[in-house]
Amino acid sequence: TVFNSLNHDMTLAEFKFIWYMEYSHRMWGRVVGLAYILPAAYFWRRGWLSRPLKGCVLMLCGLVCFQGLLGWYMVKSGLEEKPGSYDIPRVSQYRLAAHLGSALVLYSASLWTGLSLLLPRHKLPETHQLLRLRQYAHGTTALIFLTALSGAFVAGLDAGLVYNSFPKMGERWIPDDLLAFSPVLKNIFENPTTVQFDHRILGIASVTAVTALYLFSRKIPLPRRTRMAVTSLLAVACVQ
């Protein structure tokens, strides 16, 4: 039905391109899973893992399996034919956000575990300024994570196609259809205009928070590695 109503002019070569993109993504995901699980099993059997590290390894391997399961669950939503709907087939934006979010958690946890093993932790005096910097860094991390998740909703709803001007959306700062759905809460997750608006605000807030974090860090005596990390964060935020 979808082919007849929307994609009747698609050639075999165009279909193969889409198919191989999806196939490559799945195979790459399986390779990543094996790259986690096989070495982990080998190191575990050889007795090279400490008790705390065993817990980290189990958590990471569990996240890898969960990520694959979420991917299947997400794709499944795009294959469900909705009665009476002739819209472009798309996966659920909720499942897409969950899939992206779990991938970010998996990547961050892997990087954190790896760096913790490779680089010794700095022992710094717990001053009031340092505690504030750490709390602010955690808050900035949460904001960046939320911004990335909002991007998944933009992608899932094709919300990026609604307005293509910046900083205004069309001719207005706040579009008329920002709260067009009822109940109001539904707009945050299902109204393309609201989803794009929220993503813009969160993006601006993230860059502002990263800049403030950098400026605050300049007032505190920090190790070279930490200072380089904060500077790199600002550079990546600006590029993004």
Side-chain angles (χ1 to χ4, degrees):
T1 304
V2 171
F3 176 79
N4 290 331
S5 61
L6 293 173
N7 300 315
H8 55 272
D9 57 345
M10 178 181 283
T11 64
L12 182 59
E14 290 171 335
F15 173 77
K16 283 183 175 181
F17 175 77
I18 296 173
W19 190 90
Y20 279 117
M21 286 282 286
E22 174 66 20
Y23 181 76
S24 300
H25 181 68
R26 293 187 184 203
M27 291 302 105
W28 184 252
R30 289 165 185 169
V31 168
V32 170
L34 291 175
Y36 266 90
I37 295 170
L38 294 181
Y42 177 76
F43 295 153
W44 193 300
R45 185 175 178 81
R46 298 285 292 183
W48 294 348
L49 303 179
S50 64
R51 188 179 180 87
L53 194 54
K54 284 181 178 179
C56 289
V57 166
L58 285 176
M59 179 195 70
L60 290 173
C61 289
L63 277 173
V64 168
C65 297
F66 180 67
Q67 174 69 6
L69 183 64
L70 264 182
W72 166 82
Y73 186 60
M74 178 191 71
V75 171
K76 183 175 179 289
S77 68
L79 300 176
E80 296 169 353
E81 190 171 334
K82 301 171 182 63
S85 174
Y86 295 98
D87 191 13
I88 298 173
R90 66 179 80 250
V91 298
S92 164
Q93 68 270 27
Y94 297 100
R95 300 184 193 184
L96 177 61
H99 190 50
L100 175 64
S102 66
L104 290 173
V105 170
L106 173 60
Y107 179 79
S108 300
S110 303
L111 187 63
W112 184 275
T113 303
L115 291 178
S116 299
L117 293 171
L118 293 171
L119 302 173
R121 185 172 181 176
H122 288 299
K123 293 183 178 179
L124 302 174
E126 294 290 332
T127 63
H128 178 67
Q129 279 189 318
L130 187 64
L131 288 173
R132 281 185 60 197
L133 180 68
R134 184 177 292 129
Q135 291 171 351
Y136 194 73
H138 290 162
T140 303
T141 301
L143 182 59
I144 293 170
F145 182 74
L146 185 62
T147 303
L149 285 190
S150 74
F153 282 90
V154 172
L157 291 170
D158 280 341
L161 303 177
V162 181
Y163 292 97
N164 62 357
S165 56
F166 186 86
K168 290 184 177 181
M169 299 178 73
E171 298 297 322
R172 303 178 66 87
W173 289 101
I174 300 177
D176 294 330
D177 54 342
L178 189 67
L179 300 176
F181 290 14
S182 182
V184 175
L185 189 62
K186 189 177 181 181
N187 289 278
I188 299 174
F189 305 105
E190 299 185 16
N191 184 341
T193 298
T194 312
V195 166
Q196 191 193 125
F197 180 81
D198 291 344
H199 188 59
R200 290 177 179 221
I201 298 301
L202 286 168
I204 294 168
S206 292
V207 173
T208 304
V210 170
T211 304
L213 179 68
Y214 171 79
L215 294 175
F216 182 51
S217 71
R218 301 294 295 177
K219 301 177 181 178
I220 306 173
L222 295 171
R224 179 176 174 273
R225 199 171 73 207
T226 307
R227 194 166 297 286
M228 187 169 62
V230 177
T231 304
S232 300
L233 178 63
L234 177 63
V236 171
C238 292
V239 171
Q240 176 69 5

